[in-house]
Amino acid sequence: MTLSPSKPATASAFHGWPGLIERYRAYLPVSAQTPVVTLHEGNTPLIPAPAIAARIGRGVRVWLKYDGLNPTGSFKDRGMTLAISKAKEAGAAAVICASTGNTSAAAAAYARRAGLRAFVLIPEGYVALGKLAQALLYGAEVIAIRGSFDRALAMVRELATQYPVTLVNSVNPYRLEGQKTAAFEIVEALGDAPDWLCIPVGNAGNITAYWMGFNQYHSEGLAARLPRMMGFEAAGSAPIVLGKIVEHPETLATAIRIGNPANWQRALAVQEASGGAFGAVSDEEILDAYRLLAAEEGIFCEPASAASVAGLLKVKDQVPAEARVVCVLTGNGLKDPDSAIKHAEAHFYQGVEPSLAAVAQVMGF
Ligand code: F0G
């Protein structure tokens, strides 16, 4: 077999994935003047999940939108490529966000790539190690407050009105415009929208963005139907399910440890328009899904992401027969190594003698 000779590597000969803004330019609020700040995010795989489907039965098919494969390891890159490009276009010199970790990593990476300062406020002690490591190494100016994410968000909203810094949390409309592209990719992969879309909910930006994306493709005639939007909060941090602000949210899924979501009203509108529902999943249910995803599907996501699968399994009897279901896996498991090590039901034999006999004995031979 002969390989065809490779083409010369000139800029015009680049045929790789160009990133979200170039791919979906016609559907995004950009112009020829917009400086495109990209890490070639998006184009993440939609992976069949037969082990999860088998637990539901009745011909239901399940796919996982593995957005943890984005450049900084979460779906936030989709929103940040656009938010930072637009901030740069507007002449900003600095951006700011509050974050449970992933937004700060993405904001830092894209802002620094654009030559902007990135300030991030995080709730001290409640950000997974990998996310903190990213923000620090990407060169953000990290401010850990002795308070919750909700407090940090209220503060950055205020700071952005008083100082020359652009807010890049999901209250920035460009964030949701970028994130809606995940829905486009799902429709392209399946040939239509799924019947159900299951998604973890924190600040409720992403569920809002997906709904925007599905609707846009639907009105363009690129999707024949719209999905039911199924949003899942962690039980200890479930303001939308409870219908009231949670003053002291708690969950090991720290990414969605949020008691007063910024996009609360929009999320309710999505639920109503899509005929969807919100549900709460316990930390134990999240961990069961987290381990199932890794040990039976071969997919390592972070605990908050597993809430989508935990939620689906919790309401599995309500899934119509033969339905096509997509669960969104929002972040990579490598973000939170502490949770993995602490909660793996692993076979981990330590201090074993370096002899064949000792190892064979541990192996059970
Ligand atoms: N999954 C992960 C891994 C997240 O990091 C987040 C939010 C969500 C789900 C929920 O998405 O807020 O749009 O409903 N993380 C934010 C952050 C809050 O600061 O990184 P949402």
Side-chain angles (χ1 to χ4, degrees):
M1 197 176 103
T2 54
L3 295 171
S4 56
S6 57
K7 296 200 178 86
T10 61
S12 60
F14 178 72
H15 296 296
W17 173 258
L20 290 181
I21 294 179
E22 294 305 351
R23 171 64 182 83
Y24 296 112
R25 184 171 271 278
Y27 302 102
L28 295 172
V30 290
S31 71
Q33 279 69 52
T34 310
V36 176
V37 182
T38 182
L39 290 164
H40 296 229
E41 58 294 310
N43 195 27
T44 58
L46 190 66
I47 306 174
I52 296 165
R55 279 173 167 71
I56 303 173
R58 297 180 290 110
V60 172
R61 283 174 294 166
V62 179
W63 287 266
L64 305 166
K65 181 62 172 165
Y66 192 17
D67 245 8
L69 289 184
N70 275 298
T72 78
S74 86
F75 72 97
K76 304 289 182 178
D77 295 344
R78 294 181 182 276
M80 218 48 86
T81 183
L82 196 62
I84 298 294
S85 296
K86 295 301 282 189
K88 193 167 169 66
E89 181 179 8
V95 299
I96 193 166
C97 66
S99 183
T100 57
N102 283 324
T103 299
S104 65
Y110 285 82
R112 299 303 300 145
R113 190 170 174 88
L116 312 181
R117 291 176 77 184
F119 297 101
V120 304
L121 261 70
I122 57 170
E124 192 158 61
Y126 289 93
V127 169
L129 201 61
K131 305 175 188 181
L132 182 59
Q134 289 179 289
L136 294 172
L137 194 70
Y138 285 137
E141 295 166 60
V142 180
I143 303 163
I145 62 158
R146 294 195 300 272
S148 67
F149 167 83
D150 299 294
R151 176 73 191 128
L153 182 60
M155 289 179 70
V156 295
R157 291 177 91 148
E158 192 61 34
L159 287 162
T161 66
Q162 294 188 16
Y163 300 98
V165 288
T166 301
L167 185 61
V168 293
N169 278 104
S170 59
V171 290
N172 176 326
Y174 298 122
R175 280 278 313 278
L176 302 190
E177 288 287 333
Q179 285 172 214
K180 76 184 178 188
T181 59
F184 297 168
E185 293 176 13
I186 290 172
V187 171
E188 285 159 14
L190 294 179
D192 204 343
D195 297 292
W196 278 29
L197 191 284
C198 298
I199 186 166
V201 172
N203 235 356
N206 211 25
I207 192 169
T208 307
Y210 267 84
W211 184 241
M212 284 164 52
F214 286 124
N215 274 277
Q216 193 164 4
Y217 260 28
H218 186 251
S219 60
E220 296 278 339
L222 296 169
R225 58 171 121 182
L226 290 166
R228 284 188 72 185
M229 302 292 286
M230 307 294 288
F232 296 101
E233 298 184 301
S237 309
I240 299 176
V241 171
L242 297 171
K244 62 175 192 325
I245 292 172
V246 176
E247 294 292 345
H248 300 289
E250 275 309 337
T251 171
L252 62 81
T254 52
I256 54 172
R257 187 175 168 273
I258 293 174
N260 186 11
N263 298 290
W264 193 328
Q265 293 310 318
R266 297 163 106 176
L268 292 177
V270 170
Q271 176 196 4
E272 187 167 324
S274 75
F278 286 99
V281 284
S282 69
D283 281 3
E284 226 17 82
E285 289 164 335
I286 288 173
L287 286 176
D288 284 345
Y290 176 61
R291 287 183 288 248
L292 162 64
L293 279 161
E296 294 187 40
E297 303 287 13
I299 296 175
F300 189 23
C301 66
E302 63 174 288
S305 304
S308 61
V309 171
L312 170 63
L313 292 176
K314 189 161 186 163
V315 297
K316 67 182 165 77
D317 296 340
Q318 297 170 31
V319 184
E322 315 281 322
R324 305 206 295 176
V325 179
V326 170
C327 294
V328 182
L329 299 184
T330 45
N332 198 299
L334 295 170
K335 294 270 190 178
D336 188 358
D338 294 323
S339 286
I341 291 167
K342 188 162 169 206
H343 299 292
E345 282 166 357
H347 307 279
F348 186 21
Y349 308 98
Q350 291 169 279
V352 177
E353 282 301 317
S355 74
L356 291 190
V359 172
Q361 188 186 24
V362 165
M363 292 165 75
F365 295 123

